[in-house]
Amino acid sequence: MSFASALPLLTLMTSLVAALVIFMLPEQRQGLRTLLNLTAAVVKLGLVAIMVAGVFRGEDYSISYTLLPGVEFILRADALSVMFAGLSAVLWLFTTIYAVGYLEGAPNRSRFFGFFSLCVASTMGIALAGNLFTFLLFYEMLTLSTYPLVVHRGTRKAVRAGNSYLAYTLTGGVVLLLGVAWLHTLFGDLPFAATGHFQQVDPALHGTLALIFLILITGLAVKSAIFPLHGWLPTAMVAPAPVSALLHAVAVVKAGAFGIVRVVYDIYGIEFAYALGVLEPLGWLAAFTILYGSVRALSQTDLKRRLAFSTVSQVSYIVLGVTLFGPIGTIGGLVHLLHQGVMKITLFFCAGNYAETLGVHRIDELDGAGRRMPLTSIAFTLGAFGMMGAPPLAGFVTKWMLGSGALASGMLWVIPVLVASTLLNAAYFLPILYRLWFATPKGWSQERRWGRLETHSWLLWPPLLTAALTVLLGILASAPFSPLSWAELVAAREYLP
Amino acid sequence: MLALLIPGLLFTPLALAVLCLLVNFRIGRLFSWVGIIVQVLVALGLWATVADQGGLYYDLGGWAAPLGIELRVDGLAVTFVLLTAVVASAAALHAGAYLDPRKGYQSYFWPLLWFLWAGLNGVWLAGDLFNLYVGLELISLAAVGLVALGGEAPALRAALRYLYAALLGSLGYLLAVALVYGSYGTLSLSGIAELAADHPPAPLILVLAALGLALKTALFPLHFWLPAAHGIAKSPVSALLSALVVKASFYIMARLWLEMGEQAGSIWLAQGLGALGAAGVVVGSWQAFRQSRLKMVVAYSSVAQIGYLFLLFPLSWGVATTTAELAQQGITLHLISHALAKAAMFLAAGNLILAVGNPQVSALAGVSRFLPFSLFSFGLAAVSLMGLPPSGGFVAKWLLLQASLAAGQWWWIGVLLLGSLLSALYVFRIFRASFLETGSDDPFYHPPRSLEVIPMALAVMAIGLGFVANLPLTVMALPVGGGVP
Amino acid sequence: MSALIWGAVLLPLLLPLLVVLQLPARGLRLVLPWLPVPALVLALSYEAPWALHLPYLLLGASWGLDDVRQLMLLAASLLWLCAGLYASAYIRAEGLRRYSALWGLTLAGNLGLILSLDLASFYTFFALMTFAGYGLVIHDRTKEALWAGKVYLVMAIVGEMAVLSGLLLASHQAGSLQLASLPEAVAGAENGLWIFALLLVGFGVKAGLPLLHFWLPLAHPVAPTPASAVLSGAMIKGGLLGWVLVLPLGLPGYTGLGQALVVLGALGSLGGAALGLLQQRPKTVLAYSSISQMGLMTLLVGSAIAAPHQASLIVPVIALYALHHGLAKGALFLAVGLKWPDSGWPRWLGWGLVMLPGLALAGLPFTSGAAAKTAMKGVLQPDQLGFGLAHLLPALMAAGAMATTLLILRYLVCLRDTITTGYNTGAILAGWGGLTFISLLLFWWLPWPQVGELASLARLGSLKDAWGLTWPLLAAGAVAWPWLRRLRSGPQPGSHTP
């Protein structure tokens, strides 16, 4: 086993080993734990960077192991996987920093960071999975490792949220299992391969394949919170802010969306899926979810709940992009996978900062917070504008690509959906921004002070950096190795020549 | 080599059993430690030998089949021998620290354990129906004794109920054996298989055997005795019972089915057994969900998990050979992973109850904060139990799904998937309780590390099985070669 | 050049950065006025069209300058410079930080959109200007300002969406992201009508197209005076520039729509003036005057669409007109915030200086307005345009001039009611005086000979031209005379405070 082929495994192992060691650490070894967390995050980032460079040069990192006769465990770094792995690696680093600051002095940190690392390990596994079976493995592992994070606070409300989370995701997992097993029975092991497997399949099987597609997507739609399977997401808001950030930006919802990408592109193949006629209904559903999530977000008074419904809406952009037949739509969907992550994590970091510093949870308590916490509020503003798709931020690039993709594939109805969604986004984000910047402060009863800075410095830097990233991803969208350029690379490989 | 190993498996436990009868708890524990080392080494050696050379028939004492005792040392048997060594050692080590040496009657644990162990090894290796019966009886009696070790009146009541059920089950099986002997004149499994090919056995034989063994395996609706017995017994005992004892009778049933089922079975019998198993999955899980005491949850979970085992019958009758193979592999893995996971779970549950000082699930609040290690073992075992990846339970479920799909018997898919969800229902109920925060002070007794490590080791094995499942499957598939004197 | 263009866009962004870095208020006041300097230098040093390609930026950006953009940039940078000077003294300490940050952002957006050659950059800066502009509008946070801000924002966002959809459709049709490729794509598109309508409406919100203008008279009076000046003088020109850049000016096929636009422009021109006459507050009057003036520019755009062969002549005139209007209107707005001398000749001088840019708007000879109107007349010859409505245009322009004169008188009257006496700080005087000066005098030295035939068109050719420009003014004065007389006996200056 050469170093190159071991790279995906090593990447996975960094967080897995970190998780195990952290579990073993006594609760009070805070410094060591932090060091360990950060080292693992940085090492992982480095490994992913090596893989990104390698994949760009055309190298293929892959490692496989026979789990059962006919069932392989494959870890493989292709263009698509390093895209998602890169997102996870970058955002994990930020979230770790944030979480260390956030949980300072709180109980159960060993457990928290252990499962936190496990969660990221699962996400990495999902990114690097080389076939459906391996994907499923990590997909379920993610469900399990996230549960303790969701119920972390141990309140009755948190525990109830955990119930709802499990009820949805485990059921989704079981449905997905069925789909994967069925495909396996019919076709054996299916490694992810650009352009898919079913080009030459017997037309008699088309009906079955469409049904399996439905099953697979249903299983994946739970995590990606597509209507009507989104119910768990807003309730899971009781989790600590770094968890919500991770849940919404990288781990859970993205795992679902990434799975849909994999199934459509690397199992069915976009051309075949299109020919099968399963893309368009999915597109409609995604479009509906986009609007539904936004409409529901309007009426939320809790900041994190509003953000949660916004996620419901935004993640469906990815799915919508996937269903647009044509490279531009693909690019739009894939880019949003990354861009949404960066923007949404910024928003959740900021929401966490408001809660931690000012004790603010409801939107109407945010009046004048911009003056008290200008940096956090700038980050929030950038994130919110990004979500609306305002240029030159990351969200604009996505929206533009989705719009162009829709036109290129002749799905004109997508444009009004995008427009309506943007209007709704504006309608639920702008009032928040107004309160932040223009409303008169009413004072905060649970305000805490941290020296010179507006909040704990570990809480301040991550949102600032991700907000800066939101700007850079938009402004430098066409630079080499930007998500957009990378998505173009991926899209170029997914369509038949 | 083999001449040393096989007698070692059967006679050292018996010898130890007798030896331990004569001494008190502490000395018995000392003896047992030595015995455990021997057993583990022997089991490993045997397994390695078979993995290397393939299975074989072995005549005990050198007398050939009709007169002497013929042992069938195939991959499956040695795998189960190894499993027994692992689980029983773990339970024994745990018991050594868990049981209270001051209670005199608990010194009976060691002899009973060794009788049980001998019986189990006997069943795994037996090549004829009668020896299977002997092993089974030995197991049952030892198990009843172990249940009674609980000491208090409810434990005795449960033990008595268990005894009746076990005796009734044995009776059914014995009748079937007698009928077989009557019609074929041999009790050797291989002999019967040969004869049965030409003269199918009477369905009554199979029904009787099935009924008797199903009662012992606690197939729904014959499971009534199990939760009480497993729930009330001491935790290491519960671990042994759930992980190994019920599997022994199932093992016999499966052996009979695979030898004679093709001829004597019918679609009704196969599907009927499967349906009862499925009902067991649903009812057992639901009952587990409804229990208020931790160990009862785990005990009812056994009823559910045993239900899966019975899917072997429909999935191996009247289907393609490859499908039947898939089903057999799946069931075997399920059996192994359930044994490991359930043992881990009972031991961990024992630790938790010890720590909390209260058998109720609701008393677990705050456990996640102050006793993370025990809870974590419980959690890992639960992962396998729910059939979530990566674990042995998942691989087993995967194979069973494949088998159901390949056999076109889609209704079992529903059972498998629903079963997963139902198991999550009762497992997460426990986590839910333990994640609730109570306050910042630690009211719990902390069990010694040695008690905590054992369930963790078992749970890790249950998980690890998911990664090395190919290994036992390969060994199982090895052909059975000629005899060795 | 590329350093200058970067400076032009980035320097304004320095201000928000300084705000974040907690620069003291004094520093902010010092920095605020000088942000548009690189843009001004860029505009003044323009010789021939050029472009800077930035492949990594956005979706592959290109920035640059051409004839039309140069005039727009000139107007914008001059106006922002003077208004900035004015603002640096005008804005009170409370809210100065926020105001400065938003000022810089809005300025960057305004300058950037002029310099953008590709639609992603254009849309980016357009949106930046819109959103940051909201903050300027509601700066005082009175109830009225908030309401105005809300209307502004809602309309602006709806407009943005129309623009975005239009640009998406157009660029899909063009297969390119360059603005220059869009007009042909719109002209040739199967669903061109849709694209046309979307872009028209989208930019029309900003340009104050009749029926899309509601935000304008609400927002202008409530914004701080320098903000109103740039809003009316420079920002609404963003919409105009959008039209000029993406609508199929000079391309055949949209005669009907072009004429409709001409009608809309005329409606805006006269209707805006009419409504303006009914207003009480000077800034509201000016806002309606802006609608009226934008109506004239809309009319020009419509003509360029309806008469494609004349477009190459009309487009420079649009830019010229925008330049003239921007400077003059800016000066008028800035005058609203002045403190007045007690009495005597300084006071009369003041009235004269305030009145002149207003009369320039109406086309008083030897002012920028005269040049613009003459140029306009030159290109709107009915016989050359050749579409049905064209022969009504001269009459319309005369009516427009009359209406403008009346409106300016109305403005002066309203202003008279609100003025307060006192001393102006140097910066405020410099801002207002500078802009008035530029609008009246410097206009003649501004470097626009490059605009080809424009130069000859703009200078007064003969006495006949002068008469043509003057009589509507006189007529309007005559109409208003009795009314003005009555006013003389009205309340004395200074008795009203705003």
Side-chain angles (χ1 to χ4, degrees):
Chain A
M1 188 163 68
S2 66
F3 175 68
S5 65
L7 262 178
L9 190 65
L10 283 176
T11 317
L12 187 67
M13 281 298 162
T14 17
S15 17
L16 210 55
V17 170
L20 291 182
V21 178
I22 289 168
F23 277 130
M24 297 296 157
L25 280 183
E27 186 67 30
Q28 60 275 16
R29 298 298 301 274
Q30 189 194 338
L32 185 59
R33 189 167 49 229
T34 306
L35 182 72
L36 206 73
N37 262 320
L38 292 181
T39 316
V42 171
V43 167
K44 174 195 292 277
L45 198 56
L47 290 174
V48 172
I50 296 175
M51 288 198 292
V52 168
V55 170
F56 184 71
R57 285 195 308 270
E59 278 175 42
D60 195 6
Y61 303 101
S62 133
I63 184 169
S64 75
Y65 166 78
T66 307
L67 214 54
L68 283 172
V71 179
E72 296 281 317
F73 175 85
I74 308 177
L75 289 177
R76 179 157 173 266
D78 59 11
L80 198 54
S81 46
V82 295
M83 193 168 175
F84 191 37
L87 174 80
S88 319
V90 170
L91 295 190
W92 186 34
L93 179 59
F94 291 142
T95 316
T96 306
I97 296 173
Y98 187 83
V100 170
Y102 190 88
L103 290 175
E104 206 175 66
N108 296 329
R109 273 176 291 170
S110 224
R111 182 182 82 196
F112 180 88
F113 283 104
F115 281 109
F116 193 71
S117 296
L118 214 53
C119 183
V120 175
S122 322
T123 314
M124 274 294 157
I126 285 171
L128 296 170
N131 61 3
L132 257 185
F133 182 85
T134 316
F135 178 87
L136 176 73
L137 222 66
F138 288 108
Y139 191 79
E140 293 286 8
M141 201 170 126
L142 181 64
T143 306
L144 292 177
S145 54
T146 320
Y147 173 76
L149 298 177
V150 172
V151 299
H152 179 76
R153 286 196 204 279
T155 56
R156 299 220 166 256
K157 205 173 155 200
V159 168
R160 268 204 303 279
N163 285 354
S164 134
Y165 172 71
L166 278 178
Y168 276 95
T169 49
L170 283 178
T171 314
V174 160
V175 174
L176 182 65
L177 171 66
L178 173 62
V180 175
W182 198 348
L183 266 188
H184 194 273
T185 321
L186 290 177
F187 298 98
D189 206 34
L190 288 176
F192 293 135
T195 71
H197 291 280
F198 300 146
Q199 289 297 328
Q200 265 80 46
V201 91
D202 178 11
L205 276 172
H206 282 188
T208 315
L209 280 175
L211 180 61
I212 297 179
F213 186 86
L214 177 71
I215 293 173
L216 289 173
I217 296 298
T218 309
L220 294 164
V222 172
K223 278 214 172 84
S224 49
I226 294 177
F227 180 87
L229 304 172
H230 64 281
W232 62 274
L233 191 59
T235 21
M237 278 346 315
V238 289
V243 175
S244 309
L246 207 65
L247 229 65
H248 284 254
V250 208
V252 180
V253 291
K254 285 304 166 57
F258 186 71
I260 293 178
V261 171
R262 280 293 199 195
V263 166
V264 171
Y265 289 105
D266 291 346
I267 294 294
Y268 277 69
I270 178 82
E271 318 237 357
F272 177 75
Y274 182 69
L276 203 57
V278 290
L279 288 185
E280 202 156 348
L282 184 58
W284 291 334
L285 192 62
F288 179 76
T289 310
I290 288 175
L291 296 180
Y292 173 84
S294 298
V295 169
R296 289 294 306 272
L298 276 178
S299 60
Q300 304 304 320
T301 51
D302 185 287
L303 179 58
K304 280 175 81 182
R305 267 184 80 85
R306 186 172 287 192
L307 293 181
F309 274 109
S310 153
T311 305
V312 171
S313 160
Q314 292 282 338
V315 171
S316 279
Y317 274 81
I318 303 171
V319 181
L320 181 63
V322 169
T323 62
L324 297 176
F325 180 67
I328 306 177
T330 307
I331 293 169
L334 293 180
V335 167
H336 202 56
L337 191 77
L338 269 60
H339 285 180
Q340 190 267 354
V342 174
M343 297 185 290
K344 197 31 88 58
I345 210 166
T346 310
L347 292 175
F348 270 106
F349 283 157
C350 294
N353 281 1
Y354 292 131
E356 278 299 283
T357 316
L358 307 175
V360 164
H361 298 281
R362 289 211 323 275
I363 289 164
D364 58 4
E365 298 167 329
L366 278 172
D367 287 1
R371 241 179 275 179
R372 166 68 177 79
M373 303 176 66
L375 295 176
T376 303
S377 301
I378 287 173
F380 189 92
T381 307
L382 287 172
F385 271 112
M387 281 292 168
M388 282 185 255
L393 305 173
F396 166 69
V397 177
T398 329
K399 202 165 66 181
W400 182 267
M401 283 297 161
L402 285 176
S404 308
L407 292 177
S409 59
M411 290 159 83
L412 221 68
W413 57 268
V414 171
I415 304 288
V417 171
L418 288 179
V419 167
S421 163
T422 307
L423 291 177
L424 289 167
N425 265 281
Y428 65 78
F429 273 127
L430 290 180
I432 305 180
L433 299 186
Y434 173 79
R435 284 183 186 277
L436 283 180
W437 294 112
F438 299 106
T440 318
K442 285 182 282 199
W444 298 278
S445 53
Q446 297 165 29
E447 190 174 345
R448 290 159 74 189
R449 296 225 166 251
W450 274 278
R452 211 166 49 81
L453 290 172
E454 62 189 52
T455 183
H456 194 293
S457 60
W458 289 60
L459 295 183
L460 187 57
W461 284 108
L464 288 182
L465 291 173
T466 50
L469 212 54
T470 306
V471 179
L472 286 180
L473 287 180
I475 289 187
L476 296 177
S478 306
F481 291 102
S482 75
L484 183 62
S485 314
W486 198 264
E488 281 165 1
L489 184 81
V490 175
R493 295 179 184 178
E494 290 294 348
Y495 286 84
L496 292 175
Chain B
M1 183 69 187
L2 223 51
L4 255 173
L5 290 175
I6 293 182
L9 273 181
L10 296 175
F11 296 128
T12 43
L14 285 175
L16 273 165
V18 176
L19 208 58
C20 289
L21 261 179
L22 306 173
V23 296
N24 70 9
F25 186 83
R26 285 172 209 281
I27 301 178
R29 181 165 65 189
L30 220 58
F31 284 157
S32 297
W33 282 347
V34 178
I36 285 168
I37 294 170
V38 171
Q39 283 296 313
V40 170
L41 287 179
V42 168
L44 274 174
L46 190 63
W47 195 82
T49 314
V50 170
D52 188 41
Q53 300 164 2
L56 46 90
Y57 288 99
Y58 179 87
D59 298 327
L60 203 60
W63 289 300
L67 281 174
I69 298 172
E70 189 194 51
L71 299 182
R72 186 189 149 106
V73 192
D74 60 3
L76 188 65
V78 293
T79 305
F80 284 168
V81 166
L82 186 60
L83 175 72
T84 308
V86 169
V87 175
S89 311
L93 290 173
H94 192 265
Y98 187 84
L99 295 181
D100 185 359
R102 282 163 302 181
K103 287 183 184 159
Y105 58 85
Q106 297 211 338
S107 65
Y108 290 118
F109 177 79
W110 302 114
L112 287 171
L113 169 74
W114 287 111
F115 276 127
L116 181 69
W117 203 323
L120 285 166
N121 282 345
V123 166
W124 306 140
L125 293 170
D128 66 277
L129 290 177
F130 186 72
N131 280 310
L132 282 173
Y133 173 73
V134 172
L136 198 62
E137 276 307 88
L138 195 56
I139 293 170
S140 296
L141 293 175
V144 169
L146 283 169
V147 171
L149 272 187
E152 286 121 20
L156 293 177
R157 267 204 299 279
L160 212 57
R161 217 156 132 200
Y162 184 19
L163 182 66
Y164 293 148
L167 286 180
L168 204 61
S170 299
L171 197 65
Y173 173 69
L174 196 60
L175 273 175
V177 171
L179 286 174
V180 166
Y181 193 71
S183 47
Y184 295 118
T186 176
L187 288 174
S188 155
L189 273 173
S190 48
I192 294 169
E194 274 170 34
L195 292 171
D198 299 329
H199 312 282
L204 181 65
I205 296 179
L206 268 188
V207 171
L208 271 176
L211 264 178
L213 293 169
L215 181 59
K216 282 183 157 257
T217 317
L219 171 66
F220 176 87
L222 306 172
H223 68 284
F224 54 90
W225 57 270
L226 183 139
H230 288 199
I232 203 93
K234 293 280 173 194
S235 290
V237 175
S238 312
L240 283 171
L241 296 184
S242 268
L244 301 173
V245 173
V246 290
K247 308 292 164 54
S249 43
F250 175 77
Y251 176 79
I252 298 173
M253 208 167 164
R255 278 241 135 134
L256 288 176
W257 177 260
L258 295 178
E259 303 292 355
M260 298 189 284
E262 199 70 39
Q263 294 79 30
S266 65
I267 187 157
W268 297 111
L269 187 60
Q271 294 289 334
L273 284 172
L276 289 179
V281 169
V282 176
V283 173
S285 302
W286 183 248
Q287 289 284 349
F289 179 64
R290 305 261 321 267
Q291 298 306 310
S292 64
R293 281 187 301 152
L294 180 58
K295 278 187 68 180
M296 289 305 276
V297 174
V298 186
Y300 269 106
S301 145
S302 290
V303 174
Q305 298 288 321
I306 287 166
Y308 289 120
L309 295 175
F310 286 82
L311 295 186
L312 173 71
F313 302 100
L315 289 178
S316 62
W317 197 87
V319 296
T321 325
T322 47
T323 311
E325 235 164 56
L326 275 177
Q328 284 175 45
Q329 292 176 337
I331 294 295
T332 312
L333 282 180
H334 179 73
L335 198 155
I336 299 175
S337 66
H338 175 244
L340 292 168
K342 190 47 70 66
M345 220 168 188
F346 264 121
L347 296 182
N351 289 346
L352 287 175
I353 292 172
L354 196 64
V356 176
N358 187 331
Q360 301 294 323
V361 172
S362 54
L364 289 173
V367 156
S368 161
R369 179 156 171 190
F370 300 109
L371 293 162
F373 198 84
S374 282
L375 189 68
F376 203 63
S377 323
F378 192 90
L380 283 184
V383 168
S384 180
L385 204 71
M386 290 184 280
L388 291 176
S391 70
F394 171 71
V395 176
K397 188 153 290 178
W398 172 267
L399 288 169
L400 288 176
L401 268 178
Q402 293 288 324
S404 314
L405 283 162
Q409 301 183 14
W410 49 264
W411 45 94
W412 305 127
I413 298 171
V415 174
L416 287 166
L417 300 183
L418 185 69
S420 276
L421 291 177
L422 287 173
S423 58
L425 207 61
Y426 61 77
V427 162
F428 276 99
R429 186 167 146 254
I430 293 164
F431 290 129
R432 216 153 66 211
S434 58
F435 269 103
L436 278 176
E437 290 281 332
T438 44
S440 51
D441 46 338
D442 178 359
F444 302 116
Y445 164 75
H446 285 249
R449 234 329 105 104
S450 60
L451 275 187
E452 295 206 303
V453 168
I454 295 168
M456 178 58 99
L458 284 175
V460 166
M461 279 189 242
I463 297 285
L465 182 64
F467 292 100
V468 297
N470 212 9
L471 203 58
L473 292 185
T474 333
V475 173
M476 270 169 52
L478 290 175
V480 182
V484 170
Chain C
M1 275 304 181
S2 59
L4 263 181
I5 202 166
W6 277 109
V9 175
L10 291 185
L11 190 66
L13 294 176
L14 180 68
L15 198 56
L17 187 67
L18 290 176
V19 171
V20 171
L21 296 177
Q22 306 281 329
L23 188 76
R26 178 190 291 274
L28 291 179
R29 287 188 201 275
L30 273 178
V31 174
L32 188 132
W34 310 112
L35 303 174
V37 169
L40 182 59
V41 177
L42 191 67
L44 290 173
S45 60
Y46 171 80
E47 278 164 7
W50 57 272
L52 173 69
H53 295 290
L54 305 159
Y56 290 175
L57 221 56
L58 291 167
L59 306 167
S62 41
W63 297 349
L65 215 50
D66 56 23
D67 294 348
V68 174
R69 287 184 170 89
Q70 184 225 1
L71 291 183
M72 291 285 194
L73 187 65
L74 198 59
S77 53
L78 283 170
L79 179 56
W80 278 92
L81 185 66
C82 294
L85 265 174
Y86 192 99
S88 71
Y90 182 87
I91 301 298
R92 281 189 300 271
E94 197 222 286
L96 175 72
R97 314 192 70 79
R98 190 172 61 208
Y99 188 86
S100 308
L102 293 169
W103 181 270
L105 289 173
T106 318
L107 174 57
N110 197 344
L111 297 178
L113 83 89
I114 297 174
L115 291 169
S116 302
L117 298 182
D118 71 296
L119 55 85
S121 313
F122 184 84
Y123 182 64
T124 298
F125 289 117
F126 193 79
L128 181 61
M129 182 179 82
T130 303
F131 284 113
Y134 168 77
L136 294 182
V137 169
I138 65 155
H139 178 74
D140 289 335
R141 284 189 290 160
T142 56
K143 215 171 165 185
E144 205 188 344
L146 293 179
W147 167 244
K150 195 177 255 178
V151 174
Y152 166 85
L153 199 59
V154 168
M155 294 194 68
I157 291 176
V158 172
E160 300 264 313
M161 286 302 100
V163 168
L164 181 69
S165 316
L167 288 179
L168 264 172
L169 289 163
S171 84
H172 172 63
Q173 195 66 38
S176 151
L177 292 169
Q178 295 298 311
L179 285 171
S181 65
L182 296 191
E184 281 198 45
V186 176
E190 204 177 306
N191 51 358
L193 204 65
W194 272 102
I195 307 179
F196 191 110
L198 283 169
L199 291 171
L200 181 72
V201 168
F203 288 121
V205 170
K206 185 109 315 135
L209 194 68
L211 297 183
L212 298 174
H213 70 278
F214 300 111
W215 65 274
L216 236 150
L218 291 174
H220 280 75
V222 294
T225 298
S228 314
V230 292
L231 199 61
S232 210
M235 285 160 69
I236 60 174
K237 302 296 190 303
L240 181 71
L241 184 63
W243 280 346
V244 172
L245 293 178
V246 300
L247 290 185
L249 275 70
L251 294 168
Y254 287 94
T255 317
L257 264 177
Q259 294 195 46
L261 205 51
V262 169
V263 172
L264 264 179
L267 191 70
S269 169
L270 296 179
L275 286 173
L277 286 174
L278 303 175
Q279 303 304 317
Q280 306 294 325
R281 290 190 296 184
K283 276 165 70 175
T284 317
V285 176
L286 288 182
Y288 277 104
S289 156
S290 287
I291 295 173
S292 162
Q293 296 288 315
M294 289 308 284
L296 283 178
M297 288 177 246
T298 310
L299 190 151
L300 281 168
V301 172
S303 309
I305 295 168
H309 51 282
Q310 284 291 91
S312 59
L313 290 175
I314 297 177
V315 170
V317 174
I318 298 175
L320 176 70
Y321 202 98
L323 172 67
H324 138 73
H325 172 248
L327 297 175
K329 187 54 65 65
L332 286 173
F333 264 109
L334 292 184
V336 176
L338 289 177
K339 299 266 193 297
W340 288 76
D342 266 341
S343 59
W345 67 267
R347 192 166 181 128
W348 286 110
L349 177 67
W351 279 115
L353 285 176
V354 169
M355 196 189 305
L356 271 174
L359 293 178
L361 280 183
L364 185 72
F366 305 109
T367 62
S368 59
K373 294 251 160 159
T374 317
M376 196 167 150
K377 273 188 183 160
V379 295
L380 291 187
Q381 300 292 340
D383 46 338
Q384 278 165 25
L385 289 176
F387 57 84
L389 288 165
H391 60 272
L392 290 175
L393 289 178
L396 184 74
M397 273 186 285
M402 270 182 74
T404 305
T405 314
L406 285 175
L407 208 51
I408 293 308
L409 291 174
R410 176 74 197 157
Y411 160 71
L412 292 171
V413 168
C414 294
L415 185 64
R416 178 171 163 274
D417 289 349
T418 61
I419 57 176
T420 51
T421 52
Y423 291 99
N424 295 301
T425 53
I428 285 187
L429 268 187
W432 166 72
L435 196 57
T436 310
F437 180 69
I438 291 166
S439 150
L440 292 176
L441 300 176
L442 214 56
F443 184 82
W444 299 102
W445 279 273
L446 289 178
W448 38 294
Q450 299 97 319
V451 193
E453 299 165 56
L454 206 60
S456 64
L457 285 172
R459 294 202 160 76
L460 281 178
S462 64
L463 216 61
K464 182 169 162 272
D465 285 343
W467 176 244
L469 289 169
T470 322
W471 74 258
L473 266 90
L474 295 176
V479 168
W481 184 249
W483 182 48
L484 284 171
R485 274 182 66 89
R486 205 180 59 217
L487 231 135
R488 281 185 70 89
S489 55
Q492 284 307 301
S495 64
H496 280 229
T497 44

